[in-house]
Amino acid sequence: MISDPTPHRAVRPQRTTSVAPISGATPRARRSVLRAALTGTAVIGAGLAVGAEPAVAEPPTAAPRKRPTTAEEALRELSAGNHRWRTFRERHPDESPAVRQSLTTSQHPFALVLGCIDSRVPPELVFDQGLGDLMTIRSAGQVLDEAVLGSLAYGVLELGIPLLMVLGHQSCGAVKATVQADESGEELPAHIQYLADQISPAIDHGKQGDARIDATIDANIRLIRSRLAAEPDLAAKVNSGALAIVGARYELTTQRVHRLS
């Protein structure tokens, strides 16, 4: 049997330790500071708490750029940006916090670029432009369909963009596939055949081999530009002087964009 402890056991007096008071603090404030110290959130320095994000100086705010308002000004800006790109002097404009904030309520792009889906030809990079500067629509071989036409019309009619550029490029895979399928008579897979059907009227049968592909790239750019210029709503803007539609080509070997006549 386990016996009960002696009921009249002497109790040893407890030793007390005094804690020096925190100068100028109330008991409640002292408890708060001590609790904060134990949980790792004590105040250190003037107004900086452990666990909070450190104060970071605001980056300098770049002065707003003067935005092109005409097709001529837009072309000059794109040309200057492409020169920066190909000479490795990119500025990466319009990426500042102020610009990002301003774009939450509106956008005013100065150029509309219809380009190819090719990963080597992103318009914002080859023209060294930033957020809100360009409205870009991309399809293989710059092929037009209702979605592309609607997107282009939105940029021109709703946003009032003064320049529409059809941007093709050297070594376009969609054009090459179209030329090769035309020569072999072979049907392309599924929806890729649709692209070939749209590009095939531009095939230059007066040349052979790689020269035919290269010439067809230029002819396809001109054909698409002509089709866009024939769209009634876009043609009305062109006739009024509010819009210019141009064709251009990007050279992968030199990174240069040049206009096609």
Side-chain angles (χ1 to χ4, degrees):
M1 175 182 293
I2 300 175
S3 60
D4 292 332
T6 305
H8 302 292
R9 187 174 183 180
V11 178
R12 183 177 298 177
Q14 293 183 347
R15 181 178 299 175
T16 59
T17 304
S18 62
V19 179
I22 298 176
S23 176
T26 65
R28 179 175 297 177
R30 290 199 298 270
R31 288 196 296 271
S32 298
V33 172
L34 291 173
R35 186 159 50 257
L38 293 173
T39 57
T41 57
V43 174
I44 300 176
L48 179 63
V50 175
E53 292 187 4
V56 179
E58 285 292 329
T61 301
R65 291 199 300 163
K66 182 181 182 299
R67 303 189 69 76
T69 57
T70 67
E72 292 76 14
E73 291 175 352
L75 283 169
R76 284 197 294 270
E77 174 57 37
L78 293 182
S79 178
N82 178 243
H83 184 267
R84 295 193 299 269
W85 164 256
R86 69 177 188 266
T87 56
F88 304 98
R89 297 175 182 174
E90 300 95 324
R91 295 177 184 170
H92 304 290
D94 295 330
E95 298 179 1
S96 70
V99 168
R100 297 184 195 190
Q101 182 61 35
S102 71
L103 291 173
T104 62
T105 55
S106 64
Q107 60 169 327
H108 304 283
F110 65 82
L112 182 59
V113 181
L114 171 58
C116 183
I117 61 170
D118 195 294
S119 63
R120 300 167 292 180
V121 196
E124 289 84 357
L125 292 184
V126 303
F127 290 119
D128 190 29
Q129 299 301 314
L131 297 173
D133 294 331
L134 305 181
M135 179 169 281
T136 59
I137 295 93
R138 301 174 69 177
S139 65
Q142 305 88 243
V143 164
L144 300 175
D145 62 14
E146 283 302 309
V148 170
L149 286 170
S151 300
L152 295 171
Y154 179 84
V156 173
L157 304 178
E158 298 298 323
L159 298 183
I161 298 175
L163 176 67
L164 196 171
M165 175 181 284
V166 180
L167 180 63
H169 66 94
Q170 178 185 21
S171 302
C172 178
V175 171
K176 181 178 180 180
T178 299
V179 171
Q180 291 178 341
D182 179 74
E183 292 172 348
S184 67
E186 186 176 341
E187 186 86 1
L188 292 169
H191 303 290
I192 301 177
Q193 184 61 48
Y194 172 82
L195 301 174
D197 292 341
Q198 298 299 308
I199 296 171
S200 58
I203 295 177
D204 189 335
H205 293 284
K207 294 183 170 58
Q208 301 294 327
D210 290 341
R212 173 176 291 181
I213 295 171
D214 198 65
T216 301
I217 290 171
D218 290 356
N220 185 54
I221 295 169
R222 294 188 177 100
L223 177 62
I224 293 168
R225 183 189 62 193
S226 297
R227 288 176 175 172
L228 291 174
E231 288 290 318
D233 289 337
L234 300 183
K237 289 289 187 179
V238 172
N239 293 334
S240 70
L243 174 68
I245 303 176
V246 303
R249 171 171 160 152
Y250 178 71
E251 304 299 336
L252 296 175
T253 51
T254 63
Q255 292 88 59
R256 178 174 176 262
V257 175
H258 57 94
R259 286 183 61 182
L260 298 181
S261 57

